[in-house]
Amino acid sequence: MASFRISRAASRGLLGPSLYSSLSIFSLSQSSSTTITNPNFFNAFTRLSHLFPNYENSRDHFKVSKENLSLFRPGIAWISTSSGVADSSNKGSNNNKNVAEVRSWIEVYLPRAIQPYAKLARLDKPIGTWLLAWPCMWSITLASPPGHLPDFKMMALFGCGALLLRGAGCTINDLLDRDIDSMVERTKLRPVASGVLTPFQGVSFLGFQLLLGLGILLQLNNYSCILGASSLLLVFSYPLMKRFTFWPQAYLGLTFNWGALLGWSAIKGSVDPSIVFPLYFSGVLWTLVYDTIYAHQDKEDDVKVGVKSTALRFGDSTKEWTAGFGILCISSLALSGFNADIGWPYYACLAAASGQLAWQIWTVNLTSRADCNRKFVSNKWFGALIFSGILFGRVFS
């Protein structure tokens, strides 16, 4: 009862941050001291123990334990002192300390043993899946016959594939970058970098995701199976690009927009270069816009650890560069729609999407991590606008 009253008081703002943090620590020690274990329960899982996360050896054990303890007290946000969560200042400094960190659905609903795997696949951050799925949906819808709705079964397959491939890509990235991630404020608490998961556990999880992805790929025609499998070279090599070039965002664009080629071939059995190549190229340019903005969150840490990005390459000229990419992106989308003989609703939505992209570039505060992240996440609406235009353009053409 006393713990309930304290939690209620804290959630209503009656306790100050420092007092609430102290009470949280006190509650943590109480909870850990009253844990009841049954030795017989664990004997059944001895053979699989190497697949379970090791919280005891993590680099940030206290924080992980605290977050997972909050699973039993829904509605309470822990107080974070990490500068990688948000930054509302104009200088990108560490003035965001003591910001309340909202727990994700992973920490609320999933068992503790699988939480690190869900975080490794970024299931709590769906924006990456949206950005990977939208080019697929554009292409599938563009390939549908005039006056008809797209193939919803195919869209569902590609949606699941985007979720799995994005998770696999994040797993590969975290395995290869675990030493770098541990030195970057925003990424140091990732499961592999923090030591919650071992590299072997990460590789095992990667194999599981790729196996599920293969099951989806085999549902497509032979041409699409070969085309889809060829994208794995890009997926596996992308995390290394930041070590060698200032243009890893362009390489990410080649990887993330492969679905623009694959979606069309899944419907038509081949690729129409006059329609699909401009669509693919527009996706690459779009990625250069949003991922350059995203990269500005880590530019100080990137300089320290010696990795490269377009944010560092463009510097103070970022808005001019991204504006150029945005113009070329919209032009390529218009060319693809024109070659596909799509209806007028497409161009109306394309104009709205142009405004959304211009808003991002014009208003983003590149010195604020929080604003860079907000503009990055808003790209799901750009993708939705293009999809709506293709859908209505096809149905009413």
Side-chain angles (χ1 to χ4, degrees):
M1 179 62 73
S3 176
F4 173 77
R5 289 172 180 169
I6 290 172
S7 302
R8 292 281 293 180
S11 64
R12 293 177 182 175
L14 299 180
L15 297 179
S18 60
L19 178 57
Y20 179 48
S21 299
S22 301
L23 291 171
S24 298
I25 296 171
F26 174 74
S27 176
L28 173 66
S29 63
Q30 273 194 329
S31 299
S32 60
S33 65
T34 57
T35 302
I36 299 174
T37 58
N38 180 359
N40 296 327
F41 174 79
F42 294 101
N43 289 337
F45 298 96
T46 302
R47 296 176 182 268
L48 299 176
S49 61
H50 63 286
L51 293 177
F52 290 97
N54 183 3
Y55 290 98
E56 300 297 333
N57 295 328
S58 68
R59 293 191 179 97
D60 207 342
H61 169 61
F62 174 76
K63 182 175 178 63
V64 173
S65 299
K66 182 175 69 173
E67 287 178 346
N68 283 278
L69 180 65
S70 66
L71 174 64
F72 302 99
R73 283 185 270 178
I76 300 174
W78 292 100
I79 304 302
S80 170
T81 58
S82 169
S83 61
V85 177
D87 182 7
S88 58
S89 69
N90 292 329
K91 296 182 179 180
S93 62
N94 296 332
N95 295 335
N96 59 310
K97 293 187 177 182
N98 297 326
V99 175
E101 182 179 331
V102 179
R103 294 178 300 112
S104 69
W105 65 268
I106 290 176
E107 295 162 331
V108 175
Y109 297 109
L110 296 185
R112 180 176 177 179
I114 65 173
Q115 285 181 18
Y117 294 103
K119 290 181 178 179
L120 185 59
R122 310 288 198 276
L123 295 184
D124 55 337
K125 298 176 181 178
I127 179 59
T129 303
W130 280 116
L131 296 176
L132 186 61
W134 279 131
C136 306
M137 305 308 169
W138 299 348
S139 188
I140 292 171
T141 309
L142 199 59
S144 60
H148 291 77
L149 292 171
D151 187 334
F152 290 109
K153 177 184 176 182
M154 193 64 68
M155 292 176 68
L157 282 175
F158 272 76
C160 294
L163 180 66
L164 290 169
L165 187 60
R166 191 267 180 133
C170 291
T171 304
I172 295 168
N173 183 80
D174 286 11
L175 288 169
L176 295 177
D177 285 353
R178 59 186 182 274
D179 294 332
I180 294 176
D181 286 346
S182 65
M183 296 184 286
V184 176
E185 186 68 29
R186 186 178 57 84
T187 61
K188 67 182 182 181
L189 294 179
R190 287 177 175 174
V192 178
S194 64
V196 175
L197 292 178
T198 65
F200 176 76
Q201 290 170 321
V203 171
S204 299
F205 183 55
L206 173 62
F208 174 70
Q209 293 174 96
L210 291 177
L211 185 62
L212 293 178
L214 177 62
I216 292 177
L217 188 63
L218 292 177
Q219 305 299 312
L220 308 181
N221 56 60
N222 292 335
Y223 184 96
S224 299
C225 284
I226 297 173
L227 185 62
S230 63
S231 69
L232 290 178
L233 177 63
L234 294 171
V235 174
F236 276 89
S237 58
Y238 160 69
L240 302 175
M241 291 300 107
K242 68 185 75 172
R243 295 165 171 81
F244 305 112
T245 177
F246 280 101
W247 294 85
Q249 281 68 31
Y251 203 84
L252 178 66
L254 297 173
T255 307
F256 248 51
N257 294 279
W258 200 258
L261 307 175
L262 192 58
W264 182 279
S265 71
I267 300 296
K268 299 289 190 179
S270 62
V271 168
D272 186 339
S274 66
I275 298 173
V276 177
F277 285 0
L279 187 67
Y280 179 57
F281 186 56
S282 70
V284 175
L285 293 163
W286 178 40
T287 304
L288 276 166
V289 174
Y290 67 67
D291 207 52
T292 297
I293 293 174
Y294 183 81
H296 271 273
Q297 296 178 96
D298 300 328
K299 55 190 175 185
E300 291 86 3
D301 289 322
D302 288 348
V303 171
K304 292 177 184 178
V305 300
V307 297
K308 302 174 176 65
S309 71
T310 49
L312 296 178
R313 171 65 179 82
F314 302 152
D316 294 336
S317 301
T318 291
K319 291 197 174 186
E320 289 79 3
W321 278 91
T322 51
F325 295 144
I327 293 171
L328 290 174
C329 171
I330 298 301
S331 300
S332 296
L333 285 168
L335 177 61
S336 179
F338 177 79
N339 290 339
D341 196 25
I342 200 167
W344 66 266
Y346 172 72
Y347 299 100
C349 290
L350 186 61
S354 303
Q356 200 278 340
L357 200 62
W359 166 78
Q360 287 184 56
I361 298 169
W362 183 262
T363 64
V364 63
N365 182 357
L366 296 173
T367 63
S368 169
R369 286 177 174 174
D371 194 49
C372 287
N373 187 66
R374 278 193 296 269
K375 296 304 190 295
F376 169 73
V377 172
S378 74
N379 279 278
K380 62 187 176 183
W381 301 117
F382 177 87
L385 286 169
I386 299 299
F387 173 75
S388 299
I390 297 174
L391 177 64
F392 291 120
R394 268 291 177 245
V395 170
F396 295 108
S397 62

